[in-house]
Amino acid sequence: MTSPAQPVTGPTPPPVTLLLDTHDDRTIHAAAYQRAHPDRGRITTDPTPHTSSLAYLALDLLRAMDRDSFSRPDTERMSTDPAWRAVTCWTLTTGLEEAIVLRAHRLTPERLKRLATWRAETGIRLILIAHAPAPADEQRLRERLTAAELTDLTAVRGTDAILNAIGPAATGQRYGPPPSDHAYPLPSLPRSGVAAFRADCWRRQNDLDFAHTDSQYRAGYAAARTWLARHTPPPAPPDIPEAADAGPDGVTPWQDMEGLRLFLARLTVLSPSPQHTLARVRGAQAGFLSQALLLNEPDDLAERGGPGITTVPITPRVAHTLTTELPSPLRAAAVAALLFTCTAQPLLSMTQLASIDELTTRLAIDRDSRINVGVPPGPRHMYAIPPRARPLVAAALEFRRRTPRTADHLGLFANCFGTSERFDHLIRDTSLHIPAVVHPHPADDWHTAAGCWHLNTLAPGTPPALGPSGARP
């Protein structure tokens, strides 16, 4: 169903607070900036002087949200409507609650109307500070506010009263990016099967390396047992020909393969290295075997690529880079998707809005029918959206649905990457290593090649139940 083009009304906002600073007090100006804390839902912006551009005001608000890469002279600019949609979407998805706008007496009627629309769609608390030395300036501002339908005003005068209305200064504000990412590097792991993997690690590694490897193995084991307790479907009927030919003799295949692939993607999408991924997968296989299920994976995961192998974990530092360097919700989410799926951008650009679930926890790509038009849809490739990437994807969905003539079957990231030159500029702006760009991987990912079968009895060589951490297998 096509989304409406007209603005969407949000929650009822509180009255507009109009602070009349008749003496242009520097203390008030400083207090407004000290109040700002974007991570806690409060921003302060001083509109760019000597311009009445509606787009510039939107970019000023994005800069106040710490999304300021557009300030570079060679960066692609957003036009007026996309810029204001970006402001609205980031406001809704990041929990922004309060905005202070300085120099409100210089805002044109058109700018005030944009602020009124933004307030109506998001329910944000709007505080306008007017440095108006003359009664005529105040009267003109009130007339403009009335024309913009900002009539529910609470006017405050006097320095002390204005400082109380602004509120106390923010505390605990962090400046700069989060610390660099770090994970304990694991040594080369044996290419043993699930039956001998943990024992071989114990024999070949020192105590510290084995403790770290075993922690990843146990995490996979526990995740598999927990997931199976919640998602075990009934086995396939034995009289189905497809079931009889799908796996080893005397076993029946697992039915919910999309759910299984999504579990494997969630297990490994934040893995910091292929070694961590291998340990988690072997632990998950042991967990499946403990429930009489044979989980089969490719012998060499690195040859396949996929979650935890060729993807990049969305850490706090990576998320900070995406949100500060890419003010466009669509481009920020598109680059994040390149990182956590490692899917080529032409295929990713065809991802439909309906391929994202309501909670923005998974992304499904039908590679066969999207690449080869006319081919019946095949098994979808399931990818887990990491928690720190979900606000970016949610903002992109909100942006698309607020764009005129948008439908659920249209591409979420369509036209995000542009021409080769524009795509190169986009990657340069992020300053991140993106394996999908440097080393494209056209083959199916390792988790899509997984197979799983119900066993009548435990397979020979089944790993025993895990003992204390670090104990000899």
Side-chain angles (χ1 to χ4, degrees):
M1 182 175 65
T2 303
S3 302
Q6 64 268 22
V8 180
T9 302
T12 302
V16 177
T17 303
L18 178 61
L19 307 181
L20 298 170
D21 176 20
T22 56
H23 301 290
D24 200 3
D25 196 328
R26 295 179 60 185
T27 305
I28 295 175
H29 190 280
Y33 271 106
Q34 293 170 0
R35 174 70 175 169
H37 196 321
D39 292 338
R40 297 184 182 176
R42 302 190 300 269
I43 63 171
T44 298
T45 185
D46 193 351
T48 301
H50 310 302
T51 179
S52 60
S53 167
L54 296 176
Y56 260 88
L57 180 57
L59 298 180
D60 288 331
L61 292 171
L62 290 172
R63 181 189 294 114
M65 299 177 192
D66 289 337
R67 291 165 173 82
D68 56 355
S69 69
F70 55 82
S71 59
R72 294 195 297 267
D74 56 346
T75 301
E76 182 183 4
R77 306 300 176 94
M78 287 187 288
S79 58
T80 300
D81 287 342
W84 277 101
R85 280 200 300 273
V87 170
T88 299
C89 295
W90 287 127
T91 301
L92 292 172
T93 56
T94 60
L96 195 63
E97 298 177 350
E98 177 184 293
I100 299 177
V101 181
L102 301 170
R103 312 290 172 186
H105 61 291
R106 294 181 177 175
L107 294 176
T108 62
E110 292 77 17
R111 286 185 154 199
L112 288 172
K113 289 179 181 178
R114 283 285 185 172
L115 290 175
T117 301
W118 175 44
R119 172 175 172 260
E121 293 180 349
T122 62
I124 195 169
R125 181 191 178 204
L126 188 59
I127 301 176
L128 304 177
I129 301 182
H131 314 270
D137 295 328
E138 179 183 342
Q139 180 62 30
R140 182 167 58 251
L141 174 59
R142 288 184 177 272
E143 292 175 354
R144 291 179 176 179
L145 290 171
T146 301
E149 298 183 0
L150 293 173
T151 56
D152 51 339
L153 296 173
T154 300
V156 179
R157 300 175 185 273
T159 300
D160 293 338
I162 290 176
L163 293 176
N164 289 334
I166 291 175
T171 58
Q173 178 136 2
R174 187 201 63 203
Y175 296 94
S180 299
D181 307 320
H182 175 72
Y184 185 88
L186 297 182
S188 297
L189 300 181
R191 299 182 63 179
S192 312
V194 59
F197 176 81
R198 188 165 178 260
D200 288 345
C201 288
W202 190 89
R203 283 191 294 268
R204 300 181 187 185
Q205 297 177 354
N206 59 41
D207 291 344
L208 183 59
D209 285 344
F210 177 73
H212 285 279
T213 302
D214 196 41
S215 67
Q216 299 296 313
Y217 183 92
R218 288 170 174 274
Y221 183 90
R225 292 290 296 262
T226 301
W227 186 80
L228 288 171
R230 298 174 179 174
H231 296 86
T232 301
D239 56 345
I240 298 180
E242 294 82 2
D245 299 334
D249 294 337
V251 298
T252 52
W254 180 271
Q255 294 300 291
D256 182 18
M257 289 306 300
E258 285 191 354
L260 176 62
R261 291 166 181 162
L262 182 59
F263 159 73
L264 294 172
R266 285 174 174 162
L267 177 67
T268 56
V269 69
L270 293 179
S271 181
S273 74
Q275 289 78 18
H276 291 76
T277 299
L278 178 59
R280 294 181 188 185
V281 171
R282 290 292 182 261
Q285 288 179 294
F288 272 68
L289 275 178
S290 69
Q291 301 298 308
L293 289 163
L294 177 62
L295 175 61
N296 190 27
E297 296 291 351
D299 294 334
D300 191 348
L301 301 182
E303 290 183 357
R304 288 277 187 168
I309 303 296
T310 51
T311 57
V312 176
I314 307 296
T315 62
R317 192 176 184 89
V318 171
H320 173 83
T321 301
L322 292 174
T323 55
T324 56
E325 298 297 329
L326 299 173
S328 169
L330 289 179
R331 284 175 170 76
V335 175
L338 282 175
L339 294 174
F340 67 76
T341 66
C342 201
T343 299
Q345 60 267 24
L347 180 61
L348 196 62
S349 64
M350 294 186 288
T351 301
Q352 300 176 2
L353 274 68
S355 299
I356 311 291
D357 66 317
E358 294 183 0
L359 300 179
T360 63
T361 61
R362 59 175 171 80
L363 183 152
I365 299 179
D366 177 15
R367 297 172 65 102
D368 297 333
S369 63
R370 303 300 287 180
I371 295 178
N372 305 305
V373 178
V375 174
R380 297 186 300 174
H381 290 217
M382 307 299 295
Y383 295 94
I385 301 177
R388 294 186 184 92
R390 291 170 191 171
L392 305 180
V393 177
L397 285 170
E398 188 73 23
F399 188 94
R400 276 296 188 208
R401 287 166 179 162
R402 290 174 176 269
T403 303
R405 299 180 299 278
T406 295
D408 286 344
H409 68 277
L410 299 179
L412 173 60
F413 304 123
N415 301 322
C416 284
F417 305 110
T419 62
S420 299
E421 182 179 358
R422 287 179 59 188
F423 182 69
D424 292 340
H425 286 303
L426 176 67
I427 301 306
R428 179 207 59 200
D429 290 345
T430 61
S431 64
L432 292 172
H433 172 68
I434 303 179
V437 176
V438 181
H439 301 292
H441 195 83
D444 286 348
D445 296 335
W446 67 266
H447 71 303
T448 64
C452 185
W453 298 272
H454 296 265
L455 301 176
N456 296 327
T457 59
L458 290 181
T462 298
L466 298 181
S469 179
R472 186 183 181 109

